[in-house]
Amino acid sequence: MATIEVGGKSYETDEEGYLVNLGEWDMDVANYIAKTESIDMTEQHWEVINFLREYFEEYQIAPAVRVLTKAIGKKLGPEKGTSEYLYALYPYGPGKQACKIAGLPKPTGCV
Amino acid sequence: MLHIVNKSPLENSSLESCLNVATSGDVLLIEDAVYAATTGNGFEPKLLAAMGKVKVYVLQPDLDARGMGDRLVAGVTSVDYSGFVDLTTTNNTCQSWL
Amino acid sequence: MSEIKKFMFVNRKAPYGTIYALESLEVVLITAAFDQDVSLVFLDDGVFQLKKGQQTKGIEIKNFSPTYRALEGYDVEKLYVMKESMEARGLTEDDLLVPVTVLTGAEMGALMDEQDVVLSF
């Protein structure tokens, strides 16, 4: 267990830096985690984060990358539903980096 | 005496054994045993027959967790966690059927 | 892993009382990544896993039932429920949270015989 301190608020994380309590997530901690992953958050980045949070709300899991890619294509347009697009935004993997920024657990089966 | 059962009657015979043995007292259904007290379950006739000699209780949070809160067999009393504790204190002895 | 095999997951336990249902679901999600032919069957108390309206706040266990609805996105679309098991539990197809194919015990047995790998939970 570890904690992140942002703006006087503290957030509990696991040993890999994923938030323990999804309910604690907010934009401040998302921006902070993004910075530690060397990602400058743009509108396109947020679009993926919001999608992931909605997906989790509905299905209670973080999607596998293949499933995320397909679902993004359906929701945000085919030009965005490609691994090139998602890896350009999140070079170390949308599953790993975007889920962490979105405050979700690591996707099932993601190592 | 309080009998506590936590296994579905369609998977495991502990509830059936319990009801064959218990001639009086309270039977509390928790965890997967709550299915025994839902309408349409294959065990319903046996439960109804047993209700003549024992009083049957069910733990409501376990019923709700399984989406079965709205189909409790009539005559079965639902209790919450503090009701569970009350049952263990109002009875002198308690047997958990594993 | 170039050859596609038929995998069947047999679910026979109710959710929450034991960990089997959740473990099975997690293995299914992982298996789905390997592009195999996956079938899920629900018999005996396993059909309770698909009951609509599960509310687990009171027992403080994660409600994993919404995840069954994500299976379609994982291309896991073969879900079978045994008719006799469903009827013995006072359930109908309308009580289930995902579309399924209902099979009799005999049909279920035949389907099981066709598989390359059968995993029991």
Side-chain angles (χ1 to χ4, degrees):
Chain A
M1 287 297 175
T3 50
I4 296 177
E5 304 272 347
V6 190
K9 234 177 116 182
S10 78
Y11 306 80
E12 214 178 310
T13 69
D14 67 11
E15 66 278 8
E16 291 177 281
Y18 290 81
L19 288 192
V20 173
N21 303 310
L22 276 78
E24 286 180 0
W25 183 90
D26 55 29
M27 302 272 279
D28 294 338
V29 76
N31 277 314
Y32 179 89
I33 298 172
K35 207 170 281 171
T36 65
E37 296 281 332
S38 308
I39 287 173
D40 284 323
M41 295 297 285
T42 65
E43 203 179 308
Q44 284 75 31
H45 287 91
W46 284 113
E47 212 171 42
V48 175
I49 298 302
N50 293 332
F51 181 89
L52 277 171
R53 291 190 60 83
E54 281 165 27
Y55 186 96
F56 191 88
E57 178 67 31
E58 186 164 359
Y59 299 119
Q60 299 297 306
I61 47 166
V65 176
R66 178 178 63 91
V67 177
L68 173 70
T69 310
K70 205 169 71 177
I72 289 257
K74 236 180 185 172
K75 177 96 188 277
L76 304 175
E79 73 283 0
K80 294 181 177 175
T82 67
S83 36
E84 289 79 3
Y85 177 78
L86 293 172
Y87 274 87
L89 293 174
Y90 297 102
Y92 286 93
K96 241 176 190 166
Q97 288 184 309
C99 285
K100 194 186 268 190
I101 297 166
L104 307 187
K106 217 161 136 178
T108 303
C110 175
V111 282
Chain B
M1 177 169 184
L2 174 64
H3 298 274
I4 301 173
V5 181
N6 76 338
K7 296 287 191 295
S8 165
L10 300 182
E11 184 201 278
N12 177 297
S13 59
S14 48
L15 179 56
E16 188 154 14
S17 306
C18 164
L19 296 178
N20 285 335
V21 171
T23 49
S24 63
D26 295 330
V27 173
L28 172 63
L29 307 175
I30 65 170
E31 298 170 20
D32 289 344
V34 300
Y35 291 119
T38 58
T39 53
N41 189 287
F43 199 80
E44 192 181 0
K46 285 181 184 164
L47 186 83
L48 290 171
M51 281 161 65
K53 48 177 193 164
V54 294
K55 188 157 169 46
V56 180
Y57 297 86
V58 64
L59 190 63
Q60 188 71 37
D62 278 323
L63 209 53
D64 292 338
R66 291 160 179 79
M68 300 301 248
D70 58 351
R71 51 177 82 187
L72 184 63
V73 168
V76 175
T77 308
S78 94
V79 294
D80 57 12
Y81 289 112
S82 65
F84 183 167
V85 175
D86 290 343
L87 282 171
T88 63
T89 58
T90 53
N91 283 279
N92 288 324
T93 51
C94 173
Q95 151 90 340
S96 283
W97 292 76
L98 299 176
Chain C
M1 290 283 281
S2 60
E3 196 187 331
I4 292 183
K5 286 190 174 172
K6 294 180 117 171
F7 279 77
M8 174 181 277
F9 291 84
V10 181
N11 298 287
R12 292 187 51 246
K13 299 270 199 279
Y16 314 119
T18 62
I19 197 73
Y20 291 95
L22 177 57
E23 290 287 319
S24 170
L25 187 54
E26 293 200 335
V27 177
V28 167
L29 292 173
I30 293 165
T31 309
F34 296 100
D35 283 327
Q36 300 296 302
D37 179 334
V38 176
S39 301
L40 267 65
V41 303
F42 299 86
L43 47 104
D44 298 335
D45 279 351
V47 300
F48 284 135
Q49 293 175 24
L50 301 179
K51 175 68 177 62
K52 279 178 188 165
Q54 299 176 31
Q55 301 287 341
T56 60
K57 226 182 197 132
I59 60 169
E60 295 183 26
I61 295 178
K62 176 178 162 162
N63 177 5
F64 54 85
S65 67
T67 307
Y68 293 102
R69 289 191 285 104
L71 289 172
E72 196 190 352
Y74 279 75
D75 297 320
V76 175
E77 289 165 334
K78 296 178 180 172
L79 273 58
Y80 303 94
V81 166
M82 190 160 121
K83 187 167 183 279
E84 295 87 337
S85 303
M86 194 166 71
E87 287 171 354
R89 286 158 183 81
L91 300 179
T92 65
E93 270 186 84
D94 287 343
D95 290 314
L96 308 181
L97 46 78
V98 278
V100 299
T101 304
V102 178
L103 299 179
T104 63
E107 290 169 327
M108 193 66 94
L111 185 68
M112 226 173 254
D113 285 341
E114 293 173 12
Q115 305 298 316
D116 295 309
V117 182
V118 177
L119 296 159
S120 291
F121 289 88

